[in-house]
Amino acid sequence: MRTSLLTLLIAGVALSGCLEAFDAPREGTSDTADTTSDTSDTSADTSDTGNPPDTGNPPDTNSAPGNPSFSLVYISGHLGHYDSCPDQALPAAGIDGAGQAEPDGASDDAANCVDPCGGWGCEAAELNLRLINNGTVPLTNVVLTDLELLLAPDDFTLPTRAHAVTVDGDTLPTTLGVGEVIDIRVQFTGLLAYRDYRSANSDSDGAFDSDCASTNCGINGARVRAVFASFPLKQEATSPTLYPVTDIDT
Amino acid sequence: MALLLLRTQLVHPASRYRLLAALTLLLAASLGACDGPLAAAEPATTPYLESATERRALLEAALWQPELPYSRELLDSYGFSDLGWELLPEQTSASRPLTVTDAKRLEAGLGLTLGELTEHAPVELPTSRAGWRALGETVFTQLPLREDGYLTWLASRPSRWPDLGVTPNADGTVRGLVVFQARNSRPAVGVTCVFCHGGDGIVGRGDRELDVGAIRAEHAAEGGRDMSELLSWGPGRADVTDDGVPSVTAIPDMWGLGHAQYLNHSGAIAVSAPGTLAVRFETQYIKGHRMRSRPARQLMWAMERFLTGLQPPRESLTPTPSPTPTSDAIRAGRQQFNATCAGCHAPDAGFSGGLVAADTLAVDPAVATTPERGTGSYKVPSLIAVSANAPYFHDGSMPSLEALLESGHPFGVLDTQARQHLLAYLHTL
């Protein structure tokens, strides 16, 4: 399964190279265009409470026969738990090219074990998204092409890598029928401590020079952006701020 | 009065719910009910169960400081009908108690067997108040809130339990620890509410012996990590935040929740209407289950009904010793209380109240100012069964009622006789 996932990931990266040429929507909009009127009200109400969830995909308005289209919706996620396995967290420098890097190998606790691992509570970061084939033709070869962390306060972008992209514990289906809906789980490498990352990099990296007394500096979290492609389309979803798994929460 | 005004200005407006709360209060008052605003109403159903929009409204009314990271996380994901946590699948609600036998097997490296689990979600919902409360109690005691490495570790170290404040029940089960089928279908050790809120085996009593900090520190040390700073928490206390700033709180008793205007010591959650607690519990379970599933909502509602109606079992609580007060002393104490304390500790609200700015109290402001949940204030806690609830204050820093009265806690200096009268009265609450 590991090999096939990796193949998928590499295929995704290779594919995404060609995709840039196509006129597929890359940027999300801040509102889900396909929401019912009562929720778009709700979303509007919450836009002043921080980062509204950005599920960002206008559905294809032109739904003529033969039109491929899909949308991505944010469900949930967290940034994992690396206190007891700091070596498995994202290196401070980040990773160039999301999805390209191979997981560290079979001993990679956080990658292999999504649950409290070996009793030491090591968990991979995770993003759950809903993908809906809202076009008029089946979708083939859906792949994750990009995955990155957006760090507050100014969305400094840090590419990360996926360990597994699954649906119900299995690889992504190769074909997705018209109207089909799947919930995709992306497990990926998170940072050890977002707050520390920010202060550690505030001198070396221009992105962190902004005033750390400002609002978001104390936040131990990040937004996560995932881009999925199915030739010839590309869609992205950005989560609201996600946080590492905490030991107690009440 | 000033406090009331403050709250009215600060609370995130959700006027519909405020109106409902006011009506409920009125109803409660007119019925002469002494069960508290939420408990008295006993609504058969609740907007909470009806729709995402209603849940969203409850959440927004509750998180009156939306800019706090604690609030933001919930506001960003909860109560949207077509995205976020509303799309999560429902959790299974089956578990069985963890037993000393399980623990010994784990200690011997034999692993955990799932065994026979009991499904807690009823086939048919209760139809009576008593039925709902019984279901709520089952949820409070049996439904796994979360699993964690340190809990699994704890379950496998029964020989360490005496030092860590964990006492197995007479029947060989362990309060607050259950076995359930976790993500990936493995058997796992889960924690339930009574792990912390079931002290001395009394459902709803904050555990004063349980040393969560020592459990986590010892677990970490075995894994080669130094978390010895958590040893300073001490028994009966925990830091529930993750903001890098120490803010240790006492594990609270659940008495008086039916009267609560705010939840948590710093009052980060305002109770506006029935359903507020259910929303808090639901989000707690979602986070405990790593945002992969949500609990059955009827169970959260049942737990709210159970907790808001929960009375302390006075016969099982051992009050701090005191000479048996005379009825004259109690009467004088009540007068003193009404004159000195009732402005904050409202007698018709379980002796609880609104929020008080932390810097006007002689207590450590850390919990009130923590970046994650700090509101700048502490809530006025209920004084129901107060004489059995030592130690006192949000951090358990006040050892006894006598010491508290001598401290001048925010009422100023009282003479010996006034203090004795107050003490006599407090013993009757």
Side-chain angles (χ1 to χ4, degrees):
Chain A
M1 184 181 105
R2 182 160 277 268
T3 330
S4 60
L5 274 177
L6 195 67
T7 321
L8 265 177
L9 286 173
I10 291 168
V13 171
L15 206 60
S16 73
C18 342
L19 280 168
E20 304 299 342
F22 288 84
D23 191 17
R26 245 202 85 87
E27 289 304 311
T29 59
S30 60
D31 242 343
T32 21
D34 53 344
T35 52
T36 60
S37 59
D38 91 297
T39 25
S40 38
D41 274 349
T42 321
S43 325
D45 279 348
T46 55
S47 53
D48 59 343
T49 62
N51 312 316
D54 175 5
T55 59
N57 300 289
D60 266 8
T61 39
N62 169 13
S63 289
N67 234 38
S69 166
F70 71 92
S71 71
L72 275 179
V73 177
Y74 156 79
I75 302 175
S76 69
H78 61 73
L79 297 179
H81 196 309
Y82 296 94
D83 285 353
S84 46
C85 49
D87 51 319
Q88 287 169 32
L90 205 58
I95 294 171
D96 285 330
Q100 288 177 10
E102 189 174 349
D104 282 349
S107 69
D108 193 335
D109 243 18
N112 290 328
C113 183
V114 293
D115 300 304
C117 238
W120 306 122
C122 218
E123 295 180 52
E126 190 168 299
L127 178 67
N128 296 300
L129 298 172
R130 177 163 292 183
L131 190 150
I132 303 161
N133 179 357
N134 56 9
T136 56
V137 289
L139 282 177
T140 50
N141 297 323
V142 176
V143 287
L144 172 73
T145 61
D146 292 277
L147 189 67
E148 53 204 15
L149 297 165
L150 307 177
L151 287 110
D154 37 21
D155 281 354
F156 176 74
T157 303
L158 195 63
T160 182
R161 62 185 169 195
H163 303 302
V165 182
T166 55
V167 176
D168 278 336
D170 244 317
T171 50
L172 290 187
T174 43
T175 311
L176 219 71
V178 175
E180 207 173 324
V181 177
I182 51 170
D183 288 352
I184 303 177
R185 173 159 302 148
V186 181
Q187 287 171 286
F188 61 95
T189 306
L191 269 169
L192 180 59
Y194 294 76
R195 203 184 293 110
D196 296 354
Y197 181 86
R198 194 170 300 115
S199 48
N201 289 271
S202 54
D203 292 330
S204 55
D205 193 322
F208 290 97
D209 286 346
S210 52
D211 177 12
C212 230
S214 76
T215 51
N216 284 327
C217 278
I219 291 183
N220 198 26
R223 306 206 292 157
V224 183
R225 176 155 59 209
V227 182
F228 277 83
S230 167
F231 185 81
L233 300 172
K234 217 168 175 183
Q235 291 286 14
E236 69 169 55
T238 304
S239 77
T241 302
L242 303 182
Y243 301 85
V245 171
T246 54
D247 284 319
I248 308 183
D249 199 311
T250 188
Chain B
M1 237 346 107
L3 289 169
L4 235 118
L5 274 175
L6 184 76
R7 170 158 184 228
T8 317
Q9 285 159 7
L10 287 178
V11 169
H12 202 257
S15 39
R16 198 148 53 99
Y17 287 99
R18 292 249 295 284
L19 188 67
L20 196 72
L23 284 174
T24 312
L25 263 165
L26 237 143
L27 192 74
S30 65
L31 288 174
C34 50
D35 226 6
L38 295 190
E42 282 292 342
T45 183
T46 166
Y48 166 73
L49 292 175
E50 272 161 29
S51 68
T53 313
E54 300 288 355
R55 288 188 279 279
R56 180 78 197 171
L58 282 166
L59 183 81
E60 289 183 9
L63 300 175
W64 61 283
Q65 294 218 339
E67 72 286 358
L68 289 176
Y70 170 76
S71 308
R72 273 189 43 188
E73 180 175 15
L74 306 184
L75 287 167
D76 281 349
S77 292
Y78 184 83
F80 299 105
S81 60
D82 56 357
L83 62 93
W85 297 351
E86 201 73 29
L87 303 186
L88 291 171
E90 196 171 288
Q91 283 155 27
T92 61
S93 309
S95 72
R96 70 167 173 87
L98 182 95
T99 63
V100 176
T101 313
D102 290 318
K104 293 204 167 128
R105 280 180 55 88
L106 282 167
E107 191 164 42
L110 291 175
L112 191 64
T113 48
L114 201 54
E116 211 166 297
L117 306 187
T118 305
E119 172 61 46
H120 303 303
V123 183
E124 274 175 44
L125 290 177
T127 49
S128 67
R129 166 199 282 226
W132 274 104
R133 289 187 176 174
L135 177 60
E137 178 163 6
T138 302
V139 176
F140 194 69
T141 55
Q142 303 296 326
L143 193 70
L145 171 61
R146 51 187 296 141
E147 72 170 317
D148 281 291
Y150 69 94
L151 295 167
T152 312
W153 172 86
L154 178 69
S156 67
R157 297 290 185 282
S159 52
R160 296 291 306 126
W161 291 354
D163 289 333
L164 298 170
V166 176
T167 314
N169 299 322
D171 66 359
T173 61
V174 186
R175 174 169 47 83
L177 295 180
V178 294
V179 178
F180 74 115
Q181 199 161 21
R183 302 160 280 157
N184 290 4
S185 313
R186 306 165 287 105
V189 176
V191 68
T192 76
C193 310
V194 289
F195 183 66
C196 293
H197 301 291
D200 303 325
I202 297 168
V203 175
R205 178 167 166 82
D207 196 318
R208 277 117 174 120
E209 272 88 51
L210 181 72
D211 200 333
V212 183
I215 293 168
R216 288 182 53 199
E218 214 168 291
H219 163 246
E222 267 192 38
R225 281 180 301 147
D226 179 12
M227 285 174 66
S228 54
E229 76 275 6
L230 304 192
L231 291 171
S232 69
W233 291 4
R237 297 182 180 84
D239 184 346
V240 299
T241 64
D242 182 42
D243 51 20
V245 178
S247 53
V248 183
T249 66
I251 301 170
D253 303 315
M254 300 282 103
W255 324 136
L257 272 182
H259 302 282
Q261 288 180 38
Y262 291 92
L263 297 180
N264 291 17
H265 295 292
S266 70
I269 302 166
V271 181
S272 62
T276 306
L277 274 78
V279 168
R280 178 194 188 273
F281 301 153
E282 183 184 348
T283 57
Q284 220 178 322
Y285 274 84
I286 290 173
K287 287 162 86 178
H289 289 254
R290 311 300 194 269
M291 288 81 165
R292 283 188 176 187
S293 57
R294 62 168 181 80
R297 295 202 183 95
Q298 288 87 351
L299 300 185
M300 302 297 103
W301 174 236
M303 190 150 65
E304 168 167 335
R305 294 184 74 173
F306 167 63
L307 288 176
T308 52
L310 189 63
Q311 303 292 337
R314 293 171 191 278
E315 63 293 346
S316 318
L317 298 170
T318 6
T320 46
S322 133
T324 316
T326 64
S327 52
D328 280 351
I330 294 173
R331 201 174 312 115
R334 180 185 293 117
Q335 274 171 12
Q336 182 74 51
F337 187 91
N338 287 341
T340 323
C341 322
C344 292
H345 296 276
D348 60 356
F351 308 93
S352 67
L355 299 182
V356 177
D359 55 15
T360 64
L361 295 161
V363 293
D364 184 342
V367 169
T369 52
T370 174
E372 189 180 300
R373 303 184 185 193
T375 58
S377 297
Y378 288 113
K379 73 163 187 177
V380 180
S382 164
L383 300 182
I384 290 178
V386 69
S387 63
N389 295 351
Y392 302 101
F393 292 158
H394 71 276
D395 53 358
S397 59
M398 188 58 78
S400 67
L401 281 180
E402 288 82 351
L404 183 143
L405 292 175
E406 272 167 35
S407 74
H409 157 72
F411 40 76
V413 182
L414 296 168
D415 63 37
T416 314
Q417 200 187 35
R419 292 203 307 265
Q420 271 165 1
H421 289 160
L422 272 173
L423 205 55
Y425 177 62
L426 289 174
H427 275 280
T428 68
L429 302 187

